[in-house]
Amino acid sequence: MKPNIQHVAERAQVSKATVSRVLNDNPQVKGEIKERVLRAIEELKYRPSTIARNLATNRTNTIGLILPDITNPYFPVLARGIEDAAHRLGYTLFISNTDNDPKLEQDIIYKMVEQQVGGIVLISSTLDEQTVNDLTSLQTPIVLCDRLIENKPFDAVSIDNYKAAQEAVHYLIGQGHTRIAHLAGPKNIQSAVSRRTGYVDAMLAANLEPFVSVGTFSYESGVHQMGDLIEEYGPTAIFAANDLMALGAMHEIYRRGLRVPEDISIFGCDDIAFCAMSRPMMSTISIPAYQIGVTAVQLLDDHMKGVRSGSKNVILEHKLIHRESCNGVDQK
Amino acid sequence: MKPNIQHVAERAQVSKATVSRVLNDNPQVKGEIKERVLRAIEELKYRPSTIARNLATNRTNTIGLILPDITNPYFPVLARGIEDAAHRLGYTLFISNTDNDPKLEQDIIYKMVEQQVGGIVLISSTLDEQTVNDLTSLQTPIVLCDRLIENKPFDAVSIDNYKAAQEAVHYLIGQGHTRIAHLAGPKNIQSAVSRRTGYVDAMLAANLEPFVSVGTFSYESGVHQMGDLIEEYGPTAIFAANDLMALGAMHEIYRRGLRVPEDISIFGCDDIAFCAMSRPMMSTISIPAYQIGVTAVQLLDDHMKGVRSGSKNVILEHKLIHRESCNGVDQK
DNA sequence: TCGGTTTCAGAAACCGGTTACACAATTTTA
DNA sequence: TAAAATTGTGTAACCGGTTTCTGAAACCGA
């Protein structure tokens, strides 16, 4: 039978309260009594019940992470940042995938709230106004990743996707490209929309005609879109809204006997690990995913500890990574 | 202020017990009383406290997942299988990374046990005899992934790594290779050891001399090992203990102006997503990672529901995936 | 009509901790 | 040396549910 605090108390010949104080490092208890309690704990191999403690304190020291799909190579790094930061601060982490399904996402949020998580890190693109308002009534702090939000009591941490996209386009233009197409992500995902807008604006500002192909952020999508693009537009450079699509595009280019960057330059976004493993290595925008995760948890922790009550949008710095997948047109 | 069961009871003019019964779909309560309770719940936007329920029932409906590093591309798929299966069965999932640190791993296991998880899916390579015995005394069911274990009260689910490695070697031998080197994984990881043993035995059985280079399962390790291998041994084919090392090896081969598979063939293991994205696409052993995860949770669920008490080793089928990274020597 | 079941809701104990408060023992102060 | 302040421990209420047990009311057949 599993020992509880009462058993320890009896063995050490003290009260439950004293045992509890020892467990919580309360300095009131010391000397021989503390020794006795520690010995009793040791002898009984007693481990306090977290759930009982949770109920008594009305806190759980848990954080929930809700994301689209851990299988998408961008997210593990983010998740790792979150887990590390959470662990460091003494929280354990719940995790759940939504596949970008708004209904499922909603259910999971409520499930986690019922689990009494102290806070939630939410990576969501599908949040509509109504849902956001519902969440507002929750007392659980929420921090959004990769998505900014205004005038709502949520923290958010992200990068400036609009600016990042513009930089990518400028980089390509700087190499002499004019026929630059964009492999866009889903229309309901904010980061995808920002990148697309950044691309379009940068093109227009340079008096170039934008050409957008909308996809799904997946490798397969990149493959198909690229095929269409070659036939319908004939670009010399591609700015893809994420690396997975960029990789798919690159694959298709080679399948057709063309080469990167000699025939077509490709620029990605995210800087997933495989960008440095592909051949040619992919030039891309590096997003500090790990740091986003860490920051998100810190914001959450602040809220949970009551350090801060307002909401805050944090924008982290991205970085343009020059590798091998882009080349000037004049070098052909 | 957040409503509790008492508030609902008062509003519906019934007792706490009745509300509890309604919450748990107890058919005893029906008709008008049930209606009143449901209405009160609705009106108060009442959500039962999971932690209170946990304490009362002494169950949490949570499962813990402990793995080395979610950032390693093999694990997200496994984790996804686990999460999907857990979600389907009504469990929420804790997750934590160990970086293969035995001490940390131990701490996390105990932390999860204190969280009263119903069971733990453990992906560990560092378990020594002593630790395993300690875990035995826990009342929490544990299922091991990617690692078999005998005569212990744990379930395990894995593939036959020894056989998989032999098949890989036979495949390479069948293509006419004789100078086949092995990029091995860490000596303290069981799957790495099995693959290595399978390689060595298959080589010896074919009267070929094994050549093993020990690495760390990482891409960088593959790069460095491959460099050494080319200089010290001059293999015509490589069997890498995982895809990350295989990819690293391929990178190094190209960096030196050689080609895959024309100069050196490479065969990996795991079949991570990048294998089908690299150029050339990587031939490898496909491990049913998702299915391993699902199976692990099913075993856990059986145990938690008391369906089965003995322990069980499940071996899932792997598959040899023929792609582009291997070629017969005679074709040169 | 009446005793015997059956049905259904409530009272209260319980899960295993935490913590406000009370109070005895000890130390400090006057 | 007595009163006051401090220290350290115990008592008991509490967190918010679940569940056993009890008994009233409804139902049933004779």
Side-chain angles (χ1 to χ4, degrees), chain A residues 5 16 20 24 46 53:
Chain A
I5 200 171
K16 282 174 23 173
S20 174
N24 293 291
Y46 165 74
R53 173 177 297 168

Side-chain angles (χ1 to χ4, degrees), chain A residues 109-293:
Chain A
I109 292 174
Y110 280 111
K111 194 171 171 189
M112 288 206 178
V113 170
E114 283 169 37
Q115 293 274 358
Q116 310 286 131
V117 295
I120 293 176
V121 178
L122 178 58
I123 307 175
S124 167
S125 353
T126 59
L127 280 180
D128 57 31
E129 187 76 11
Q130 178 57 45
T131 315
V132 168
N133 286 333
D134 288 355
L135 295 184
T136 305
S137 69
L138 262 34
Q139 74 304 339
T140 308
I142 294 184
V143 42
L144 264 26
C145 285
D146 289 343
R147 154 146 193 180
L148 298 180
I149 193 156
E150 279 166 13
N151 302 320
K152 298 292 172 191
F154 300 141
D155 290 331
V157 26
S158 173
I159 64 155
D160 187 337
N161 284 295
Y162 179 82
K163 196 169 133 207
Q166 288 199 311
E167 288 174 23
V169 174
H170 291 153
Y171 173 80
L172 260 11
I173 292 175
Q175 292 188 324
H177 292 282
T178 54
R179 298 184 71 76
I180 306 170
H182 178 50
L183 261 40
K187 286 183 177 144
N188 58 346
I189 294 188
Q190 202 203 34
S191 60
V193 172
S194 300
R195 286 170 198 174
R196 175 191 180 150
T197 312
Y199 158 80
V200 169
D201 289 359
M203 290 293 279
L204 293 177
N207 267 316
L208 297 174
E209 188 156 355
F211 193 98
V212 174
S213 165
V214 175
T216 65
F217 264 166
S218 72
Y219 180 82
E220 291 71 25
S221 161
V223 171
H224 295 134
Q225 288 175 85
M226 192 65 223
D228 295 349
L229 230 40
I230 289 175
E231 286 165 15
E232 295 168 12
Y233 184 66
T236 66
I238 301 292
F239 167 49
N242 77 351
D243 290 328
L244 236 30
M245 288 195 296
L247 258 5
M250 193 158 86
H251 188 92
E252 178 65 11
I253 289 170
Y254 277 95
R255 199 186 64 76
R256 290 176 177 245
L258 301 173
R259 286 171 310 166
V260 174
E262 291 81 353
D263 298 306
I264 302 180
S265 289
I266 299 202
F267 195 94
C269 191
D270 286 353
D271 196 24
I272 60 177
F274 198 55
C275 285
M277 306 183 189
S278 70
R279 195 164 53 82
M281 295 194 286
M282 185 75 73
S283 294
T284 189
I285 296 283
S286 164
I287 296 184
Y290 188 90
Q291 195 53 41
I292 289 177

Side-chain angles (χ1 to χ4, degrees), chain B residues 12 72 106 129 169 196 238 260 262 264 272 292 309 323:
Chain B
N72 177 323
Q106 183 103 332
E129 188 76 11
V169 174
R196 175 190 180 151
I238 302 291
V260 174
E262 292 81 353
I264 300 181
I272 61 177
I292 288 177
S309 58
R323 292 205 182 90

Side-chain angles (χ1 to χ4, degrees), chain B residues 245-287:
Chain B
M245 288 195 295
L247 257 6
M250 194 158 85
H251 187 92
E252 178 65 12
I253 289 170
Y254 277 94
R255 199 187 63 77
R256 290 178 178 243
L258 301 172
R259 288 170 308 165
V260 174
E262 292 81 353
D263 297 306
I264 300 181
S265 288
I266 299 201
F267 196 94
C269 191
D270 285 353
D271 196 24
I272 61 177
F274 293 151
C275 286
M277 305 185 190
S278 70
R279 195 166 52 84
M281 294 194 286
M282 186 75 72
S283 294
T284 189
I285 296 284
S286 165
I287 296 184

Side-chain angles (χ1 to χ4, degrees), chain B residues 142-178:
Chain B
I142 294 183
V143 41
L144 264 26
C145 285
D146 289 342
R147 153 143 196 185
L148 299 180
I149 193 156
E150 281 166 11
N151 303 321
K152 299 292 172 189
F154 300 141
D155 290 331
V157 26
S158 173
I159 62 155
D160 187 337
N161 285 295
Y162 178 83
K163 197 169 131 207
Q166 287 198 312
E167 286 173 23
V169 174
H170 291 154
Y171 173 80
L172 260 11
I173 290 175
Q175 292 187 324
H177 290 283
T178 54

Side-chain angles (χ1 to χ4, degrees), chain B residues 46-332:
Chain B
Y46 165 74
R47 300 229 153 225
S49 157
T50 305
I51 48 180
R53 174 177 294 170
N54 286 345
L55 181 57
T57 59
N58 202 30
R59 292 177 307 122
T60 59
N61 283 322
T62 57
I63 285 180
L65 168 59
I66 303 175
L67 44 68
D69 182 12
I70 190 69
T71 267
N72 177 323
Y74 170 70
F75 294 119
V77 178
L78 217 187
R80 191 64 214 261
I82 290 168
E83 210 265 309
D84 287 355
H87 190 259
R88 206 176 310 129
L89 292 165
Y91 301 108
T92 37
L93 188 68
F94 280 114
I95 191 170
S96 198
N97 301 88
T98 65
D99 285 324
N100 278 319
D101 174 344
K103 170 85 173 58
L104 183 56
E105 183 174 302
Q106 183 103 332
D107 288 352
I108 291 171
I109 292 175
Y110 281 113
K111 194 170 171 190
M112 289 207 177
V113 170
E114 282 169 37
Q115 294 273 359
Q116 311 286 131
V117 296
I120 293 176
V121 178
L122 178 58
I123 308 174
S124 167
S125 354
T126 58
L127 281 180
D128 57 31
E129 188 76 11
Q130 178 57 45
T131 315
V132 168
N133 287 333
D134 288 355
L135 295 183
T136 305
S137 69
L138 262 34
Q139 74 303 338
T140 309
I142 294 183
V143 41
L144 264 26
C145 285
D146 289 342
R147 153 143 196 185
L148 299 180
I149 193 156
E150 281 166 11
N151 303 321
K152 299 292 172 189
F154 300 141
D155 290 331
V157 26
S158 173
I159 62 155
D160 187 337
N161 285 295
Y162 178 83
K163 197 169 131 207
Q166 287 198 312
E167 286 173 23
V169 174
H170 291 154
Y171 173 80
L172 260 11
I173 290 175
Q175 292 187 324
H177 290 283
T178 54
R179 297 184 71 76
I180 306 169
H182 179 51
L183 261 39
K187 288 186 175 140
N188 58 345
I189 293 188
Q190 201 204 35
S191 60
V193 172
S194 300
R195 287 170 197 173
R196 175 190 180 151
T197 312
Y199 158 80
V200 170
D201 289 358
M203 290 292 280
L204 293 177
N207 268 316
L208 296 174
E209 190 157 351
F211 193 98
V212 174
S213 165
V214 175
T216 66
F217 263 164
S218 73
Y219 180 82
E220 291 72 24
S221 161
V223 171
H224 295 137
Q225 288 174 84
M226 192 66 222
D228 294 349
L229 230 40
I230 290 174
E231 286 165 14
E232 295 169 14
Y233 183 66
T236 65
I238 302 291
F239 167 50
N242 77 351
D243 290 329
L244 237 29
M245 288 195 295
L247 257 6
M250 194 158 85
H251 187 92
E252 178 65 12
I253 289 170
Y254 277 94
R255 199 187 63 77
R256 290 178 178 243
L258 301 172
R259 288 170 308 165
V260 174
E262 292 81 353
D263 297 306
I264 300 181
S265 288
I266 299 201
F267 196 94
C269 191
D270 285 353
D271 196 24
I272 61 177
F274 293 151
C275 286
M277 305 185 190
S278 70
R279 195 166 52 84
M281 294 194 286
M282 186 75 72
S283 294
T284 189
I285 296 284
S286 165
I287 296 184
Y290 188 89
Q291 195 53 41
I292 288 177
V294 171
T295 307
V297 172
Q298 283 167 346
L299 291 176
L300 218 45
D301 186 51
D302 286 353
H303 252 222
M304 289 159 70
K305 297 214 170 107
V307 175
R308 185 170 46 77
S309 58
S311 67
K312 200 167 157 186
N313 270 343
V314 176
I315 311 277
L316 262 31
E317 290 300 315
H318 57 267
K319 210 164 88 191
L320 194 148
I321 307 285
H322 172 82
R323 292 205 182 90
E324 307 167 341
S325 64
C326 300
N327 232 349
V329 279
D330 46 5
Q331 296 181 28
K332 285 184 188 174

